[in-house]
Amino acid sequence: MFKIKQTASLSENYFINTSKLRTMRWFTIGFLSILSLSSSILFKVWFLQLFTLSVGLIITFYIERKIKGWAQQIEPLLIVRENLLFMIRRNSFLFTATKDGAILSSARFNYKLNDISIIIEAIKSGDEFSTDMDKLDVLLSSALGISLSSKEIYATHVAYVFVYRPPERQQISSLPFEDDSLKIKIYDDFVIDLRKNFSMLISGASGAGKSFFTYYYLTRFISQTVNGKHAKIYVIDPKMSDIYKLCQRSGMPVGNYGTSNEDAFRILRHYVKELDRRMLIYNHSDLFDSIGIDLGLPPLLLLIEEYSSLVASMDSKAKKDFENMVAIVAQKARSLSMGVCIVMQQPRSDSLSTNIREQLVNAIFLGPSPSKECSTMMFGTTDVPNVKKDKGVGFYSTEREPPKEFHSPMFDRDVFETILPVWECAAKDYMRDEDEECVK
């Protein structure tokens, strides 16, 4: 079977469409059926007639199934192309023609289909249509009958993404105590890889699910293991929220968490000291293109809750010193398998310095509509997808890619009953490490 060219332009001629496809299918079935019947009557013996007819019908049925499968694969491609061609014809700024209706030139679109979305690429080739290629949101949504999920503008084309079958949201009823995959699945292809830069900024509207996402992420983080040792967290929580209570209830070492400004500086200095220790190990290693995990060092994460409230409570000198240390950790952390996670309400330039924000290459916002300043701070753009207002729904960006919609995992039962056993397991591992260090 031939391959369908996945383009749409009035300047091109297309051999096949949905109407011809159906005609070809039924003509082939009818032709083979008649051929089978005609072949059977050539024999005078009824047994041979019946045998020939049976073989012919079996062959016809087999070929029909093959054709049906092929048609089901290409028909969606043809439907998308026909809808795009109809859209072009209905909008005169997308083509030029003579008075007689002969097409002189036309805008050109490439398209791709996968299991969950349609991707339309509006080609910018320097012709008279190029300036309009980034203004087709409404027209394309109307032509396809699907709301636009995201749009990305490139030098050669504009990519419009239409999701018609959203990925399934994770439903959490239990979580593993230990996991050596070093990957945390969030939603669809949104996976946080702890072998890469996992420093992150988490923000969101009140009641949008920011806290529950943070619980899930931290629980999955501390369950990750390297050579049997759990990934470790340090928590600065100035408002003594449920994260602080989790640290207490689970039996975390008291040096791993705190609430006051003094605690914040103590924890951060300890984190910088650990960074220096790891840097020494890394520099003496003979391994090339390696990270801390490759040297047997489990991932470490510094979590700072309500960051804006914390720095607002400091005087100017303390704030500057604190921000400088956070920036140093964020800059050097990746190769040492360390990271920084800052949780705050809508970030602003006066509450999160640029040298820190630039190092937080992963960003998550829970809620339907961040302010322009928040969107720019988190994603470097105000062009974010439209998402429905629902708890746990928002945007994410990894490695500074354009923001995409995601749905945070949902807990099927009480969140703290689900996550506390994992925290207790990790806390025991942390306490064993402390006991070993004391013996040394």
Side-chain angles (χ1 to χ4, degrees):
M1 298 296 181
F2 51 86
K3 188 177 180 180
I4 298 299
K5 189 176 182 181
Q6 293 171 223
T7 64
S9 171
L10 298 182
S11 299
E12 298 181 5
N13 295 316
Y14 302 101
F15 169 72
I16 191 168
N17 55 35
T18 53
S19 178
K20 288 181 179 178
L21 178 66
R22 296 187 188 100
T23 301
M24 288 169 56
R25 180 183 171 189
W26 291 113
F27 174 81
T28 303
I29 293 171
F31 174 77
L32 291 174
S33 299
I34 293 172
L35 183 62
S36 299
L37 184 61
S38 302
S39 300
S40 65
I41 62 177
L42 294 176
F43 299 95
K44 295 182 179 180
V45 181
W46 69 269
F47 174 76
L48 292 177
Q49 289 179 340
L50 184 60
F51 176 78
T52 305
L53 181 60
S54 299
V55 171
L57 290 176
I58 290 171
I59 294 173
T60 301
F61 178 72
Y62 174 78
I63 294 176
E64 191 276 335
R65 287 187 61 187
K66 289 289 186 181
I67 294 174
K68 182 180 179 181
W70 174 72
Q72 288 175 340
Q73 287 182 347
I74 70 167
E75 190 169 29
L77 299 174
L78 297 177
I79 292 172
V80 171
R81 183 167 69 193
E82 289 169 15
N83 287 348
L84 291 174
L85 292 174
F86 180 77
M87 179 195 74
I88 297 172
R89 291 191 191 97
R90 292 290 299 270
N91 295 276
S92 58
F93 68 91
L94 293 176
F95 70 95
T96 59
T98 65
K99 293 181 179 180
D100 298 331
I103 300 298
L104 296 175
S105 60
S106 167
R108 185 171 181 270
F109 298 87
N110 295 340
Y111 60 93
K112 306 171 188 174
L113 273 72
N114 56 41
D115 292 338
I116 63 171
S117 64
I118 302 171
I119 303 170
I120 307 294
E121 295 179 353
I123 305 302
K124 296 194 292 185
S125 56
D127 54 23
E128 64 267 41
F129 312 112
S130 296
T131 56
D132 294 311
M133 293 297 97
D134 60 348
K135 305 171 185 175
L136 304 177
D137 310 40
V138 176
L139 284 178
L140 286 169
S141 294
S142 177
L144 299 175
I146 308 171
S147 298
L148 179 67
S149 298
S150 65
K151 178 174 70 173
E152 298 176 20
I153 301 175
Y154 302 96
T156 58
H157 68 278
V158 181
Y160 296 87
V161 180
F162 300 87
V163 176
Y164 60 86
R165 186 184 300 160
E168 289 187 9
R169 189 176 198 166
Q170 286 196 81
Q171 301 294 322
I172 307 300
S173 56
S174 63
L175 290 170
F177 289 10
E178 295 185 354
D179 178 5
D180 61 1
S181 69
L182 299 174
K183 292 183 178 181
I184 302 173
K185 180 176 176 59
I186 307 295
Y187 178 74
D188 191 29
D189 59 354
F190 178 18
V191 177
I192 298 170
D193 188 346
L194 300 188
R195 295 189 61 85
K196 299 179 180 179
N197 189 338
F198 53 86
S199 289
M200 182 184 299
L201 174 60
I202 301 176
S203 182
S206 178
K210 181 171 81 273
S211 296
F212 277 25
F213 171 79
T214 305
Y215 301 151
Y216 170 80
Y217 173 58
L218 293 180
T219 304
R220 292 295 292 120
F221 180 87
I222 63 177
S223 70
Q224 302 299 311
T225 59
V226 174
N227 296 336
K229 290 186 176 293
H230 281 258
K232 190 176 291 187
I233 60 169
Y234 293 86
V235 175
I236 301 172
D237 187 358
K239 292 195 173 181
M240 298 181 70
S241 68
D242 287 332
I243 296 292
Y244 179 83
K245 294 178 184 177
L246 272 169
C247 292
Q248 283 187 317
R249 287 279 305 278
S250 62
M252 291 273 183
V254 292
N256 282 44
Y257 60 96
T259 63
S260 65
N261 289 358
E262 291 76 15
D263 289 335
F265 276 96
R266 171 182 57 80
I267 291 170
L268 187 52
R269 289 190 183 104
H270 178 79
Y271 205 72
V272 172
K273 185 178 179 181
E274 174 63 18
L275 183 144
D276 291 338
R277 186 185 76 87
R278 290 188 172 210
M279 181 66 75
L280 192 62
I281 295 172
Y282 183 83
N283 289 338
H284 283 83
S285 169
D286 294 329
L287 295 178
F288 289 95
D289 193 25
S290 61
I291 57 175
I293 289 171
D294 299 320
L295 306 177
L297 301 171
L300 261 62
L301 182 68
L302 173 64
L303 174 76
I304 308 178
E305 268 273 12
E306 297 293 343
Y307 183 87
S308 54
S309 298
L310 177 67
V311 296
S313 67
M314 300 176 181
D315 59 42
S316 57
K317 183 180 183 306
K319 178 182 178 182
K320 183 178 180 181
D321 291 343
F322 187 81
E323 288 181 333
N324 285 340
M325 281 196 288
V326 173
I328 289 170
V329 169
Q331 288 166 4
K332 297 181 179 180
R334 187 262 168 189
S335 62
L336 305 175
S337 298
M338 300 173 70
V340 177
C341 180
I342 291 178
V343 183
M344 61 193 304
Q345 296 294 337
Q346 308 230 2
R348 303 186 307 272
S349 56
D350 60 349
S351 60
L352 184 64
S353 62
T354 303
N355 59 339
I356 295 175
R357 173 61 195 100
E358 287 177 348
Q359 305 305 319
L360 307 178
V361 298
N362 306 300
I364 289 175
F365 182 87
L366 277 301
S369 54
S371 66
K372 289 185 177 180
E373 184 179 12
C374 172
S375 181
T376 302
M377 284 287 292
M378 298 196 69
F379 305 115
T381 179
T382 58
D383 186 14
V384 297
N386 295 318
V387 300
K388 65 179 181 178
K389 187 176 181 180
D390 194 9
K391 192 163 188 175
V393 178
F395 319 97
Y396 78 94
S397 170
T398 56
E399 301 290 340
R400 298 199 176 284
E401 293 181 349
K404 300 177 182 178
E405 178 181 347
F406 88 103
H407 294 218
S408 174
M410 296 292 287
F411 290 89
D412 287 341
R413 61 192 185 97
D414 183 82
V415 59
F416 297 107
E417 289 181 4
T418 305
I419 67 178
L420 184 58
V422 183
W423 284 66
E424 290 173 336
C425 178
K428 290 177 182 178
D429 187 61
Y430 298 173
M431 295 301 292
R432 281 194 297 270
D433 287 346
E434 286 208 342
D435 291 342
E436 290 175 4
E437 289 178 9
C438 289
V439 171
K440 291 179 183 177

